[in-house]
């Protein structure tokens, strides 16, 4: 992947790594789409996997989560379908498939299952047979490579999403998050974007965090 300072459209590229099953990544992705309306950026959607991230520490997770993240578990299905769609139909389909999956999983609360994935493929105008890749390892090498590219920018101690943008010196600035709910809109979205870039661009900046008081709020999406 090129780390160019602009896209062919002349906008600043924002690489966004996500796992479709993560509700917090979903909230952040909707915020970034709001930012795209008010700042001169263009989002490039990338995949990462919570299953890959946690595969060596499953015994530390609650059994319910660990079971779904084991090989062949449900958290593998959506990201495998997305990476198959990317490999077979190009980068341009990734964003709209993510939107279709996230809407079904999170906004509509239909859960991660074959019916939701099949409906999302139809919503994204993609072939129905892509669903079969959810239970295959056909493109796991490409999935792992995409995951590694994103997580290597921020380290193993974080999750999804990972965002990377070109810095003033030509090197990418990368960070996890921000975790936010509900997703800001309009100028509030722009202010959060500007502030996030400001702190992330400070050499040696590590972390800013406060206690989470509620779960993701999908009511304004």
């Amino acid at each position: 992947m090129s780390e160019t300072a602009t896209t062919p459209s002349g906008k600043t590229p924002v690489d966004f790594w996500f796992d479709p099953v993560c509700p917090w990544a979903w909230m952040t992705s909707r915020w970034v789409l709001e930012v795209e309306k008010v700042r001169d950026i263009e989002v490039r959607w990338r995949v990462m996997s919570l299953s890959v991230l946690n595969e060596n520490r499953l015994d530390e997770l609650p059994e319910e989560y660990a079971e779904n993240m084991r090989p062949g578990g449900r958290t593998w299905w959506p990201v495998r379908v997305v990476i198959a769609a990317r490999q077979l139909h190009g980068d341009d389909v990734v964003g709209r498939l993510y939107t279709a999956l996230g809407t079904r999983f999170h906004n509509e609360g239909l859960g991660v299952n074959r019916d939701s994935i099949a409906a999302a493929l139809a919503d994204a105008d993609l072939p129905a047979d892509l669903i079969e890749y959810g239970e295959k390892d056909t493109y796991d090498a490409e999935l792992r490579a995409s995951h590694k590219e994103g997580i290597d920018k921020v380290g193993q101690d974080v999750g999804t999403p990972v965002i990377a943008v070109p810095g003033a010196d030509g090197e990418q600035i990368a960070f996890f998050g921000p975790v936010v709910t509900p997703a800001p809109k309009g100028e509030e979205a722009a202010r959060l974007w500007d502030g996030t870039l400001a702190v992330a661009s400070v050499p040696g900046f590590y972390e800013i965090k406060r206690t989470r008081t509620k779960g993701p709020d999908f009511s304004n999406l």
Side-chain angles (χ1 to χ4, degrees), residues 56-143:
N56 294 323
R57 50 193 180 201
L58 292 177
D59 58 347
E60 302 172 14
L61 301 177
E63 181 56 29
E64 175 187 357
Y65 295 105
E67 185 63 28
N68 286 329
M69 288 187 179
R70 291 192 175 101
R74 285 190 301 167
T75 58
W76 284 90
W77 302 349
V79 75
R80 279 175 164 174
V81 170
V82 174
I83 199 70
R86 180 185 179 190
Q87 293 299 121
L88 297 173
H89 300 281
D91 288 344
D92 290 346
V93 307
V94 176
R96 73 171 188 261
L97 180 54
Y98 181 28
T99 290
L101 288 166
T103 299
R104 296 274 175 172
F105 294 165
H106 307 302
N107 293 16
E108 298 176 8
L110 299 179
V112 179
N113 53 61
R114 286 182 64 93
D115 288 345
S116 294
I117 297 170
L121 286 168
D123 291 344
D125 195 27
L126 287 166
D129 60 3
L130 281 171
I131 196 171
E132 303 306 325
Y133 289 96
E135 298 180 63
K136 298 178 180 179
D137 63 3
T138 308
Y139 296 112
D140 277 10
E142 289 80 2
L143 170 59

Side-chain angles (χ1 to χ4, degrees), residues 160-220:
T160 174
V162 170
I163 297 176
V165 299
D169 60 359
E171 295 294 321
Q172 280 193 323
I173 300 168
F175 49 89
F176 160 70
V179 175
V180 60
T181 187
K185 295 179 179 291
E187 282 306 311
E188 185 181 14
R191 287 195 299 272
L192 178 58
W193 176 255
D194 295 342
T196 300
L197 292 189
V199 297
S201 63
V202 174
F205 176 79
Y206 177 61
E207 183 176 33
I208 185 170
K209 188 174 183 178
R210 65 179 176 183
T211 301
R212 185 184 304 170
T213 59
K214 60 182 179 178
D217 178 358
F218 304 122
S219 61
N220 71 336

